[in-house]
Amino acid sequence: MAIWPSALLRIDDIARDTVAVHFRKPEDFRFQPGQTVSLTLPSDAPDAPVLRHTFSLVSAPHENELCIATRVRATPFKQALARLQPGAELRFSGPYGKLTPPAATDRPLVLIAGGIGITPCISMLRDAAHRGSDRPFLLLYSNRTREQAAFLDELRELARRNPRLRLLATLTGPEDGGWDGLRGRIDAALLRQALQGLDAPLCYVTGTPAMVETIRALLAAAGVPDDVVLDEGFHGY
C-alpha cells in the first residue's frame, strides 16, 4: 500500500472533547466514501516510537482536502496530534476498508452509528448529496449528550435537503430541555419501527465494539440476515 505525504491544514473543535483534523490531499489520492487511512505523525527524534492511528475519513471523495475526526484522549498519539501546528508534515497509508456503499443505488442503506462512529457515515452522505444520489438512507445516530454529537447540525441540514435521507438522532444521557430528538439507547423496538418499509436494506454499524456487538444482536432478533450487516468497531473510546 502506498505511503502518501501530506501536511496539517488545521484542527477544529467540532463537539465536546472532539476535533476535526484537516490535512492536505495528495493530487493522485483516490478513495471511496466510508474508507479509512492510517495516519502517522512526525517524530521528534529518530529513535522515538512511531505514532500511528487508523481513522475513517470524514471527507467525501470530491472534496479538495482530507479530514478525520477524533475524540481527544490522553494517549501519546492524541497528545502529539494536539501539539501540531498548521504546516506540520504528515504521512498516511491507504485507503483501506470495504465499508462503502454498493454500486447499485436502489438498495436502501441503513447507517447505525454511536458517537465518533459517525465519521464514515458523514463521508457517505456528503458523497450522496454531491452526486444527487436517489439511494434511500436511514441514519440512526446515538450520543450521550447533545454537546458530544459531532456533525449533528450538518446531518440535519443534509436530511432537510434530501428527502431520501431519514435521520433519527437519540441521546442516552441526562435530560436536556433543549433537545427535540429521541431519547434512550437504540433498542429492538426502535430498530423494528425504523426498518419498516425498507426493501432488503444493507446495514452498516459503526461505534464502540460493545455497541457494534449489541446492535448486531438486535438486528438479528429483528430478522435482519447476518450477511447484510457490515460493521466497524472504533477502539479506544
Side-chain angles (χ1 to χ4, degrees):
M1 186 64 67
I3 304 296
W4 302 90
S6 184
L8 179 68
L9 298 175
R10 64 188 185 280
I11 299 178
D12 298 329
D13 293 322
I14 58 170
R16 178 182 293 176
D17 300 326
T18 307
V19 296
V21 180
H22 301 260
F23 50 105
R24 183 172 54 81
K25 180 181 180 180
E27 183 176 349
D28 296 332
F29 180 68
R30 301 289 184 270
F31 68 98
Q32 298 181 61
Q35 288 193 299
T36 69
V37 296
S38 181
L39 184 65
T40 301
L41 303 186
S43 176
D44 294 332
D47 58 348
V50 175
L51 295 176
R52 181 184 297 117
H53 201 289
T54 298
F55 295 96
S56 293
L57 287 167
V58 174
S59 314
H62 69 276
E63 296 181 273
N64 294 326
E65 60 185 40
L66 298 177
C67 177
I68 58 95
T70 182
R71 300 289 196 214
V72 178
R73 294 289 185 263
T75 66
F77 183 97
K78 302 293 178 62
Q79 291 175 332
L81 180 63
R83 292 194 298 268
L84 293 182
Q85 297 297 313
E89 294 184 359
L90 306 171
R91 66 181 189 274
F92 65 92
S93 61
Y96 305 104
K98 298 180 180 179
L99 198 76
T100 58
T105 59
D106 57 342
R107 190 168 189 181
L109 202 58
V110 176
L111 309 176
I112 306 173
I116 201 63
I118 194 63
T119 49
C121 306
I122 296 291
S123 178
M124 295 181 207
L125 294 173
R126 286 181 180 177
D127 179 69
H130 173 72
R131 293 186 295 104
S133 171
D134 60 357
R135 180 194 302 279
F137 280 95
L138 168 64
L139 171 60
L140 289 86
Y141 183 27
S142 175
N143 285 275
R144 178 169 170 76
T145 67
R146 171 64 182 86
E147 292 75 17
Q148 293 172 311
F151 301 106
L152 182 58
D153 289 340
E154 178 180 351
L155 289 167
R156 284 176 165 170
E157 177 62 17
L158 286 169
R160 187 191 67 80
R161 290 162 41 199
N162 181 6
R164 304 288 281 172
L165 167 59
R166 183 183 178 202
L167 169 63
L168 298 175
T170 185
L171 298 183
T172 64
E175 290 287 333
D176 179 348
W179 176 248
D180 59 357
L182 300 176
R183 288 207 163 271
R185 296 183 183 278
I186 298 172
D187 58 14
L190 176 58
L191 283 173
R192 287 193 179 95
Q193 180 184 14
L195 292 171
Q196 285 182 356
L198 294 179
D199 183 22
L202 288 172
C203 299
Y204 293 0
V205 187
T206 54
T208 65
M211 179 262 190
V212 167
E213 182 179 354
T214 297
I215 296 298
R216 286 197 74 113
L218 292 173
L219 288 170
V224 177
D226 185 69
D227 61 356
V228 301
V229 181
L230 297 177
D231 64 62
E232 189 170 283
F234 283 51
H235 295 265
Y237 296 101

